[in-house]
């Protein structure tokens, strides 16, 4: 009858399978070889191995029965069954309680099974590595995108569970994203206004009558003429305006993948706010205006970037100002867009566009008389407005890395003027003779804006 004794062992789990050369191994069994031979055997949890001893065995001692179990098949053959991940050792004793062999047993998760499954799911991921450390499964190396990383984690956790998988994977490609935004807007407006007011006076004895037609223009006229006759007064008001406005903003900002970046170039203006509750107290709030950018990049792979962004261009509009507590508060003319897109490194995307045309034509006249051809112009006024707006917002994402090269700044070539420059030459900055043009490219030579 065989006797089994259990004792605890605190060995640390080691990787790989190492057995001394004296052990003769095959996929189904393990030969212990000479007496007192010591080795190590690695088994996946749920797997088994037959151990063959050179002499008859009377006792097999398992250090941690929770890790592995033994079953005697014969006096020289023992079946090892790996229960769960961990490390233990086994002592084989023969006649007269003599030590036959000591065997360290390392039970890991099914690393080979995980590798086969990952190769089946991700055949193109060549740098994906799977290792075992104690009771943990470690995934390391580099994958092409976040989808491959999520797939690898899900496959490993299906074998080892959620708590026994450690993720050391890195997504290929740069992890810092520079976002270049171009906001281009062109506004055209035109206004034509013509107004004629007529005043006719007449008298009969002590009675006097006066008839006036026409309404003043809603805009300040450029021409204001007054023509008088004994009983007739004509007032002519005319205006024609044309305007063109161009806005170009190009904010650039760099952010780490998964982190939010923000940018604001503009300012804040005060807005008086009346307090509720019947009090006349006034507080001041500040509203932002200018060019604003808020985005969160996510590098999916070396060739794909996900962007969640919001961009805004706002300008102060005094024409639509309002009054709060006797203080004139300007309005804001705002162009804002927010979206989520995917694009490759260096690609551009037009995320928003606007083509708007507004036309307003107003005719004021005396009923009947204003419809008379030619002479009816004396009894009516007209006002025509037309506004056109074209807007396009373009974004470009680039994967970037820090540079050790010196960076040229816009202030590098600004030199304070000397007394001769300012008082005699009338220049606001000192000007040096520009070097010869650089035909090989780069930033040397004349560049930038000159006012």
């Amino acid at each position: 009858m065989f006797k089994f004794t259990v004792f605890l062992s605190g060995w640390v789990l080691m990787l790989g399978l190492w057995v001394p050369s004296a052990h003769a191994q095959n996929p189904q069994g393990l030969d212990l070889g000479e007496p007192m031979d010591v080795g190590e055997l690695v088994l996946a949890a749920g797997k088994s191995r037959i151990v063959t001893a050179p002499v008859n065995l009377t006792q097999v001692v398992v250090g941690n029965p929770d890790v592995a179990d033994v079953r005697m098949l014969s006096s020289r053959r023992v079946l090892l069954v790996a229960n769960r991940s961990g490390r233990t050792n086994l002592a084989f004793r023969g006649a007269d309680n003599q030590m036959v062999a000591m065997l360290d047993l390392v039970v890991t998760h099914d690393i080979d099974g995980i590798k086969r499954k990952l190769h089946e799911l991700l055949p193109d991921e060549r740098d994906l590595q799977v290792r075992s450390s104690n009771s943990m499964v470690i995934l390391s190396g580099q994958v092409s995108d976040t989808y491959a990383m999520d797939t690898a984690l899900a496959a490993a956790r299906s074998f080892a569970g959620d708590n026994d998988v450690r993720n050391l994977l890195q997504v290929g490609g740069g992890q810092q994203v520079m976002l270049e935004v171009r906001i281009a807007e062109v506004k055209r407006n035109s206004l034509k206004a013509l107004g004629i007011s007529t005043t006719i006076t007449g008298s009969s004895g002590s009675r006097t009558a006066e008839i006036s037609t026409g309404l003043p223009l809603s805009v300040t006229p450029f021409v204001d003429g007054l023509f008088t006759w004994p009983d007739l007064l004509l007032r002519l008001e005319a205006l024609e305006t044309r305007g063109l406005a161009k806005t170009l903003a190009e904010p650039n900002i760099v952010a780490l993948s998964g982190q939010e970046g923000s940018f604001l170039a503009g300012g804040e203006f005060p807005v008086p706010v009346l307090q509720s509750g019947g009090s006349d107290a006034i507080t001041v709030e500040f509203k932002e205006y200018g060019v604003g950018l808020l985005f969160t990049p996510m590098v999916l792979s070396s060739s794909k970037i996900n962007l969640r962004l919001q961009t805004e261009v706002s300008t102060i509009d005094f024409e639509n100002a309002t009054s709060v507590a006797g203080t004139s508060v300007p309005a804001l003319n705002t162009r804002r867009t927010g979206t989520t897109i995917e694009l490759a490194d260096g690609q551009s995307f037009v995320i928003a566009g606007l083509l708007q045309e507004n036309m307003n034509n107003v005719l004021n006249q005396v009923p009947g008389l204003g419809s008379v051809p030619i002479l009816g112009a004396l009894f009516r006024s007209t006002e025509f407005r037309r506004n056109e707006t074209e807007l396009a917002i373009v974004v470009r994402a680039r994967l970037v890395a820090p540079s050790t090269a010196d960076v040229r700044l816009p202030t590098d070539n600004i030199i304070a003027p000397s007394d001769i420059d300012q008082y005699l030459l009338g220049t606001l900055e000192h000007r040096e003779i520009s070097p010869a043009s650089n035909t090989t490219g780069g930033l040397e030579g004349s560049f930038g804006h000159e006012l």
Side-chain angles (χ1 to χ4, degrees), residues 179-182 307 341-351 393-398:
L179 183 66
E180 303 172 358
V181 180
R182 302 184 65 188
L307 291 176
I341 60 174
E342 286 186 4
L343 67 171
D345 180 21
Q347 285 186 336
S348 298
F349 215 132
V350 180
I351 62 170
I393 301 177
V394 184
V395 298
R396 173 182 294 174
R398 298 181 185 273

PDB file of all heavy atoms in Angstrom, residues 179-182 307 341-351 393-398:
ATOM      1  N   LEU A 179      -2.445  68.208 -34.638  1.00  0.00           N
ATOM      2  CA  LEU A 179      -3.632  68.525 -35.422  1.00  0.00           C
ATOM      3  C   LEU A 179      -3.452  69.911 -36.037  1.00  0.00           C
ATOM      4  O   LEU A 179      -3.187  70.887 -35.329  1.00  0.00           O
ATOM      5  CB  LEU A 179      -4.884  68.489 -34.547  1.00  0.00           C
ATOM      6  CG  LEU A 179      -6.203  68.742 -35.281  1.00  0.00           C
ATOM      7  CD1 LEU A 179      -6.481  67.619 -36.264  1.00  0.00           C
ATOM      8  CD2 LEU A 179      -7.353  68.864 -34.285  1.00  0.00           C
ATOM      9  N   GLU A 180      -3.586  69.962 -37.349  1.00  0.00           N
ATOM     10  CA  GLU A 180      -3.534  71.220 -38.081  1.00  0.00           C
ATOM     11  C   GLU A 180      -4.948  71.530 -38.592  1.00  0.00           C
ATOM     12  O   GLU A 180      -5.542  70.722 -39.308  1.00  0.00           O
ATOM     13  CB  GLU A 180      -2.562  71.135 -39.256  1.00  0.00           C
ATOM     14  CG  GLU A 180      -1.146  70.746 -38.850  1.00  0.00           C
ATOM     15  CD  GLU A 180      -0.272  70.492 -40.051  1.00  0.00           C
ATOM     16  OE1 GLU A 180      -0.783  70.590 -41.188  1.00  0.00           O
ATOM     17  OE2 GLU A 180       0.921  70.179 -39.859  1.00  0.00           O
ATOM     18  N   VAL A 181      -5.456  72.677 -38.222  1.00  0.00           N
ATOM     19  CA  VAL A 181      -6.812  73.087 -38.610  1.00  0.00           C
ATOM     20  C   VAL A 181      -6.711  74.380 -39.418  1.00  0.00           C
ATOM     21  O   VAL A 181      -5.995  75.312 -39.037  1.00  0.00           O
ATOM     22  CB  VAL A 181      -7.706  73.299 -37.371  1.00  0.00           C
ATOM     23  CG1 VAL A 181      -9.102  73.716 -37.795  1.00  0.00           C
ATOM     24  CG2 VAL A 181      -7.761  72.041 -36.532  1.00  0.00           C
ATOM     25  N   ARG A 182      -7.414  74.413 -40.523  1.00  0.00           N
ATOM     26  CA  ARG A 182      -7.500  75.625 -41.344  1.00  0.00           C
ATOM     27  C   ARG A 182      -8.967  76.025 -41.456  1.00  0.00           C
ATOM     28  O   ARG A 182      -9.804  75.239 -41.919  1.00  0.00           O
ATOM     29  CB  ARG A 182      -6.897  75.394 -42.728  1.00  0.00           C
ATOM     30  CG  ARG A 182      -5.454  74.965 -42.709  1.00  0.00           C
ATOM     31  CD  ARG A 182      -4.897  74.840 -44.114  1.00  0.00           C
ATOM     32  NE  ARG A 182      -4.854  76.149 -44.778  1.00  0.00           N
ATOM     33  CZ  ARG A 182      -4.563  76.289 -46.064  1.00  0.00           C
ATOM     34  NH1 ARG A 182      -4.347  75.218 -46.825  1.00  0.00           N
ATOM     35  NH2 ARG A 182      -4.521  77.487 -46.609  1.00  0.00           N
ATOM     36  N   LEU A 307     -10.159  60.980 -34.432  1.00  0.00           N
ATOM     37  CA  LEU A 307     -10.177  62.330 -33.887  1.00  0.00           C
ATOM     38  C   LEU A 307     -11.586  62.698 -33.452  1.00  0.00           C
ATOM     39  O   LEU A 307     -12.543  62.544 -34.214  1.00  0.00           O
ATOM     40  CB  LEU A 307      -9.707  63.350 -34.927  1.00  0.00           C
ATOM     41  CG  LEU A 307      -8.234  63.338 -35.342  1.00  0.00           C
ATOM     42  CD1 LEU A 307      -8.012  64.361 -36.433  1.00  0.00           C
ATOM     43  CD2 LEU A 307      -7.338  63.628 -34.163  1.00  0.00           C
ATOM     44  N   ILE A 341     -13.975  61.847 -36.603  1.00  0.00           N
ATOM     45  CA  ILE A 341     -13.556  61.316 -37.894  1.00  0.00           C
ATOM     46  C   ILE A 341     -12.375  60.368 -37.705  1.00  0.00           C
ATOM     47  O   ILE A 341     -11.768  60.308 -36.627  1.00  0.00           O
ATOM     48  CB  ILE A 341     -13.157  62.445 -38.870  1.00  0.00           C
ATOM     49  CG1 ILE A 341     -11.992  63.252 -38.285  1.00  0.00           C
ATOM     50  CG2 ILE A 341     -14.333  63.333 -39.182  1.00  0.00           C
ATOM     51  CD1 ILE A 341     -11.449  64.289 -39.247  1.00  0.00           C
ATOM     52  N   GLU A 342     -12.055  59.627 -38.764  1.00  0.00           N
ATOM     53  CA  GLU A 342     -10.869  58.783 -38.825  1.00  0.00           C
ATOM     54  C   GLU A 342     -10.119  59.105 -40.104  1.00  0.00           C
ATOM     55  O   GLU A 342     -10.730  59.245 -41.170  1.00  0.00           O
ATOM     56  CB  GLU A 342     -11.239  57.296 -38.800  1.00  0.00           C
ATOM     57  CG  GLU A 342     -11.680  56.790 -37.445  1.00  0.00           C
ATOM     58  CD  GLU A 342     -11.891  55.294 -37.420  1.00  0.00           C
ATOM     59  OE1 GLU A 342     -11.618  54.640 -38.455  1.00  0.00           O
ATOM     60  OE2 GLU A 342     -12.316  54.763 -36.372  1.00  0.00           O
ATOM     61  N   LEU A 343      -8.804  59.231 -39.998  1.00  0.00           N
ATOM     62  CA  LEU A 343      -7.981  59.506 -41.156  1.00  0.00           C
ATOM     63  C   LEU A 343      -6.573  58.985 -40.906  1.00  0.00           C
ATOM     64  O   LEU A 343      -6.208  58.683 -39.765  1.00  0.00           O
ATOM     65  CB  LEU A 343      -7.956  60.994 -41.486  1.00  0.00           C
ATOM     66  CG  LEU A 343      -7.286  61.967 -40.516  1.00  0.00           C
ATOM     67  CD1 LEU A 343      -7.206  63.338 -41.172  1.00  0.00           C
ATOM     68  CD2 LEU A 343      -8.042  62.123 -39.205  1.00  0.00           C
ATOM     69  N   ALA A 344      -5.798  58.869 -41.968  1.00  0.00           N
ATOM     70  CA  ALA A 344      -4.443  58.343 -41.869  1.00  0.00           C
ATOM     71  C   ALA A 344      -3.470  59.465 -41.567  1.00  0.00           C
ATOM     72  O   ALA A 344      -3.790  60.659 -41.659  1.00  0.00           O
ATOM     73  CB  ALA A 344      -4.067  57.627 -43.168  1.00  0.00           C
ATOM     74  N   ASP A 345      -2.253  59.081 -41.204  1.00  0.00           N
ATOM     75  CA  ASP A 345      -1.206  60.042 -40.902  1.00  0.00           C
ATOM     76  C   ASP A 345      -0.937  60.913 -42.114  1.00  0.00           C
ATOM     77  O   ASP A 345      -0.618  60.424 -43.202  1.00  0.00           O
ATOM     78  CB  ASP A 345       0.062  59.280 -40.490  1.00  0.00           C
ATOM     79  CG  ASP A 345       1.209  60.221 -40.164  1.00  0.00           C
ATOM     80  OD1 ASP A 345       0.933  61.397 -39.875  1.00  0.00           O
ATOM     81  OD2 ASP A 345       2.371  59.776 -40.201  1.00  0.00           O
ATOM     82  N   GLY A 346      -1.070  62.237 -41.950  1.00  0.00           N
ATOM     83  CA  GLY A 346      -0.799  63.175 -43.024  1.00  0.00           C
ATOM     84  C   GLY A 346      -1.975  63.476 -43.925  1.00  0.00           C
ATOM     85  O   GLY A 346      -1.871  64.363 -44.783  1.00  0.00           O
ATOM     86  N   GLN A 347      -3.084  62.791 -43.761  1.00  0.00           N
ATOM     87  CA  GLN A 347      -4.247  63.044 -44.609  1.00  0.00           C
ATOM     88  C   GLN A 347      -5.039  64.259 -44.129  1.00  0.00           C
ATOM     89  O   GLN A 347      -5.016  64.603 -42.953  1.00  0.00           O
ATOM     90  CB  GLN A 347      -5.170  61.827 -44.649  1.00  0.00           C
ATOM     91  CG  GLN A 347      -4.671  60.678 -45.488  1.00  0.00           C
ATOM     92  CD  GLN A 347      -5.697  59.569 -45.613  1.00  0.00           C
ATOM     93  OE1 GLN A 347      -6.576  59.422 -44.771  1.00  0.00           O
ATOM     94  NE2 GLN A 347      -5.572  58.773 -46.661  1.00  0.00           N
ATOM     95  N   SER A 348      -5.739  64.889 -45.076  1.00  0.00           N
ATOM     96  CA  SER A 348      -6.596  66.037 -44.771  1.00  0.00           C
ATOM     97  C   SER A 348      -8.052  65.651 -44.961  1.00  0.00           C
ATOM     98  O   SER A 348      -8.377  64.781 -45.768  1.00  0.00           O
ATOM     99  CB  SER A 348      -6.247  67.234 -45.665  1.00  0.00           C
ATOM    100  OG  SER A 348      -4.921  67.657 -45.453  1.00  0.00           O
ATOM    101  N   PHE A 349      -8.906  66.350 -44.218  1.00  0.00           N
ATOM    102  CA  PHE A 349     -10.340  66.070 -44.283  1.00  0.00           C
ATOM    103  C   PHE A 349     -11.087  67.398 -44.144  1.00  0.00           C
ATOM    104  O   PHE A 349     -10.837  68.163 -43.217  1.00  0.00           O
ATOM    105  CB  PHE A 349     -10.747  65.134 -43.136  1.00  0.00           C
ATOM    106  CG  PHE A 349     -11.839  64.162 -43.508  1.00  0.00           C
ATOM    107  CD1 PHE A 349     -11.721  62.827 -43.208  1.00  0.00           C
ATOM    108  CD2 PHE A 349     -12.976  64.593 -44.151  1.00  0.00           C
ATOM    109  CE1 PHE A 349     -12.696  61.920 -43.544  1.00  0.00           C
ATOM    110  CE2 PHE A 349     -13.971  63.709 -44.492  1.00  0.00           C
ATOM    111  CZ  PHE A 349     -13.831  62.363 -44.185  1.00  0.00           C
ATOM    112  N   VAL A 350     -11.987  67.660 -45.084  1.00  0.00           N
ATOM    113  CA  VAL A 350     -12.865  68.827 -44.965  1.00  0.00           C
ATOM    114  C   VAL A 350     -14.042  68.418 -44.086  1.00  0.00           C
ATOM    115  O   VAL A 350     -14.931  67.684 -44.507  1.00  0.00           O
ATOM    116  CB  VAL A 350     -13.359  69.304 -46.342  1.00  0.00           C
ATOM    117  CG1 VAL A 350     -14.263  70.525 -46.185  1.00  0.00           C
ATOM    118  CG2 VAL A 350     -12.183  69.631 -47.251  1.00  0.00           C
ATOM    119  N   ILE A 351     -14.036  68.879 -42.851  1.00  0.00           N
ATOM    120  CA  ILE A 351     -15.040  68.413 -41.893  1.00  0.00           C
ATOM    121  C   ILE A 351     -16.297  69.271 -41.907  1.00  0.00           C
ATOM    122  O   ILE A 351     -17.339  68.844 -41.400  1.00  0.00           O
ATOM    123  CB  ILE A 351     -14.470  68.359 -40.468  1.00  0.00           C
ATOM    124  CG1 ILE A 351     -14.055  69.756 -39.998  1.00  0.00           C
ATOM    125  CG2 ILE A 351     -13.293  67.396 -40.399  1.00  0.00           C
ATOM    126  CD1 ILE A 351     -13.703  69.815 -38.540  1.00  0.00           C
ATOM    127  N   ILE A 393     -13.772  74.320 -43.338  1.00  0.00           N
ATOM    128  CA  ILE A 393     -12.915  73.937 -42.222  1.00  0.00           C
ATOM    129  C   ILE A 393     -12.219  72.632 -42.591  1.00  0.00           C
ATOM    130  O   ILE A 393     -12.884  71.625 -42.861  1.00  0.00           O
ATOM    131  CB  ILE A 393     -13.717  73.780 -40.922  1.00  0.00           C
ATOM    132  CG1 ILE A 393     -14.423  75.090 -40.565  1.00  0.00           C
ATOM    133  CG2 ILE A 393     -12.812  73.344 -39.783  1.00  0.00           C
ATOM    134  CD1 ILE A 393     -15.288  75.008 -39.328  1.00  0.00           C
ATOM    135  N   VAL A 394     -10.901  72.658 -42.623  1.00  0.00           N
ATOM    136  CA  VAL A 394     -10.093  71.513 -43.036  1.00  0.00           C
ATOM    137  C   VAL A 394      -9.177  71.125 -41.885  1.00  0.00           C
ATOM    138  O   VAL A 394      -8.567  71.994 -41.241  1.00  0.00           O
ATOM    139  CB  VAL A 394      -9.254  71.844 -44.288  1.00  0.00           C
ATOM    140  CG1 VAL A 394      -8.489  70.612 -44.763  1.00  0.00           C
ATOM    141  CG2 VAL A 394     -10.140  72.377 -45.402  1.00  0.00           C
ATOM    142  N   VAL A 395      -9.079  69.826 -41.600  1.00  0.00           N
ATOM    143  CA  VAL A 395      -8.190  69.336 -40.552  1.00  0.00           C
ATOM    144  C   VAL A 395      -7.204  68.341 -41.159  1.00  0.00           C
ATOM    145  O   VAL A 395      -7.514  67.648 -42.130  1.00  0.00           O
ATOM    146  CB  VAL A 395      -8.974  68.667 -39.399  1.00  0.00           C
ATOM    147  CG1 VAL A 395      -9.890  69.656 -38.722  1.00  0.00           C
ATOM    148  CG2 VAL A 395      -9.749  67.464 -39.887  1.00  0.00           C
ATOM    149  N   ARG A 396      -6.016  68.287 -40.567  1.00  0.00           N
ATOM    150  CA  ARG A 396      -4.989  67.323 -40.952  1.00  0.00           C
ATOM    151  C   ARG A 396      -4.309  66.824 -39.687  1.00  0.00           C
ATOM    152  O   ARG A 396      -3.975  67.612 -38.801  1.00  0.00           O
ATOM    153  CB  ARG A 396      -3.952  67.960 -41.881  1.00  0.00           C
ATOM    154  CG  ARG A 396      -2.763  67.049 -42.190  1.00  0.00           C
ATOM    155  CD  ARG A 396      -1.752  67.731 -43.077  1.00  0.00           C
ATOM    156  NE  ARG A 396      -2.304  67.991 -44.400  1.00  0.00           N
ATOM    157  CZ  ARG A 396      -1.656  68.687 -45.335  1.00  0.00           C
ATOM    158  NH1 ARG A 396      -0.463  69.216 -45.064  1.00  0.00           N
ATOM    159  NH2 ARG A 396      -2.207  68.862 -46.520  1.00  0.00           N
ATOM    160  N   ALA A 397      -4.144  65.523 -39.584  1.00  0.00           N
ATOM    161  CA  ALA A 397      -3.518  64.909 -38.414  1.00  0.00           C
ATOM    162  C   ALA A 397      -2.174  64.311 -38.815  1.00  0.00           C
ATOM    163  O   ALA A 397      -2.060  63.685 -39.871  1.00  0.00           O
ATOM    164  CB  ALA A 397      -4.417  63.832 -37.811  1.00  0.00           C
ATOM    165  N   ARG A 398      -1.187  64.490 -37.949  1.00  0.00           N
ATOM    166  CA  ARG A 398       0.141  63.943 -38.188  1.00  0.00           C
ATOM    167  C   ARG A 398       0.642  63.271 -36.917  1.00  0.00           C
ATOM    168  O   ARG A 398       0.453  63.790 -35.807  1.00  0.00           O
ATOM    169  CB  ARG A 398       1.132  65.037 -38.591  1.00  0.00           C
ATOM    170  CG  ARG A 398       0.799  65.765 -39.882  1.00  0.00           C
ATOM    171  CD  ARG A 398       1.882  66.800 -40.183  1.00  0.00           C
ATOM    172  NE  ARG A 398       1.576  67.616 -41.339  1.00  0.00           N
ATOM    173  CZ  ARG A 398       1.886  67.276 -42.587  1.00  0.00           C
ATOM    174  NH1 ARG A 398       2.526  66.125 -42.813  1.00  0.00           N
ATOM    175  NH2 ARG A 398       1.592  68.071 -43.596  1.00  0.00           N
TER     176      ARG A 398
END
